[in-house]
Amino acid sequence: MWLNQMGGQVLPSSNDKVNQFNVGGRKAIVSALLALTVLLATMHAEQAYALCNGGTTVTSTVVISADCDGGNVKGLTLDTGADVTINTGVTVSNDAGFGVNGRAVVVLGSATSTSLVNNGTIYTYNQWGLWNQSGGNVNVVNFGQITATVRYGISNQGTITSLTNVGSITGGFGSIGNITTPAPSINVFNNLQGQSGSASTPVTLVGYLPLSYNIIIQDPSTYGQLTTPNQTGAMAFNIYGNTGTTLVAGVNASIVAENRYLNVLNGFSSLSTVTGVEGTYNGFQYSLVANETLANSWDLLVFLAGPSMVDTQASIRNSAQKLRSVF
């Protein structure tokens, strides 16, 4: 301290001010550290709460009714017996720069029978939205969105017994990656994603073709489209709802009309590996024909079924008999 010569007041010295600052500064630092500790504890508690199914692997019937995130630790994980439904408006997410801990939904390789119905959103930025490990077996119905910004929306290294998509599957690498050794399998793929009004966003499948591909048609401007760059294997084509297909709960059979449905298959230089390229459905005939402008693309031509040769010959015989009876 020092004495003010003018008024005789005792004023604080510079050392006193430094000491006061140090005391106040220490208090501020302690308060900040306490606040940070509380914040970190809260964040940890919230992250643990937000882990999908509490971080426990699913082996029974579970409904995901609130947003959840794997926290770069563990995505929503399914094993044998899992029957999972993600509700409308719910987002299941996860992310990591690399590593399996960043995948949003994981079907373990030990899973012999699992089911996933997505009405909401499955999302990851860097990783795979849905990963079916080698040996895994899953049935998937997607009414919502499965999105991976960088990689595949779905990466299949095992067996997808049936994949029904009436929502959207997108990814930076492609919608679906079906390319590993040993060869993975998508036994049945029912698909509506593709043409919607004037917009076209086909499913892009990289690798092995599904064993059976069934196009879903809602109306002349809403129907499935499949793009398969560098595809491997063979595929049976059909219209969803036709003989030889199985209807999925909540997904109505196709409704067709006389129409040329454009670019339903893309990336095929020929149809030598595709069976079922023509047939009948609900009184119509259909045939896959080359697109008139886009190379390696095929349209589905649907037209009214005319009388068969057998029917025509039978009609001629019947008419001839009637004429003979007249004379």
Side-chain angles (χ1 to χ4, degrees), residues 95 106 247 272:
D95 199 29
V106 176
L247 293 182
S272 60

Side-chain angles (χ1 to χ4, degrees), residues 293-304:
T293 58
L294 187 62
N296 302 328
S297 183
W298 301 83
D299 303 339
L300 179 64
L301 184 64
V302 176
F303 50 96
L304 283 172

Side-chain angles (χ1 to χ4, degrees), residues 1-11:
M1 296 183 182
W2 57 282
L3 185 64
N4 185 345
Q5 296 178 354
M6 297 294 296
Q9 296 177 340
V10 178
L11 300 178

Side-chain angles (χ1 to χ4, degrees), residues 213-215 235-239 264-265 274-277 286 288 300:
Y213 176 73
N214 304 317
I215 182 175
M235 179 180 81
F237 178 88
N238 206 342
I239 296 176
V264 298
L265 295 180
V274 180
T275 60
V277 296
Y286 66 84
L288 289 171
L300 179 64

Side-chain angles (χ1 to χ4, degrees), residues 280 285 304-316:
T280 60
Q285 289 182 303
L304 283 172
S308 67
M309 182 175 293
V310 173
D311 292 336
T312 301
Q313 290 175 344
S315 178
I316 292 172

Side-chain angles (χ1 to χ4, degrees), residues 264-288:
V264 298
L265 295 180
N266 302 281
F268 292 82
S269 58
S270 74
L271 297 180
S272 60
T273 60
V274 180
T275 60
V277 296
E278 58 184 25
T280 60
Y281 178 70
N282 281 2
F284 292 89
Q285 289 182 303
Y286 66 84
S287 179
L288 289 171

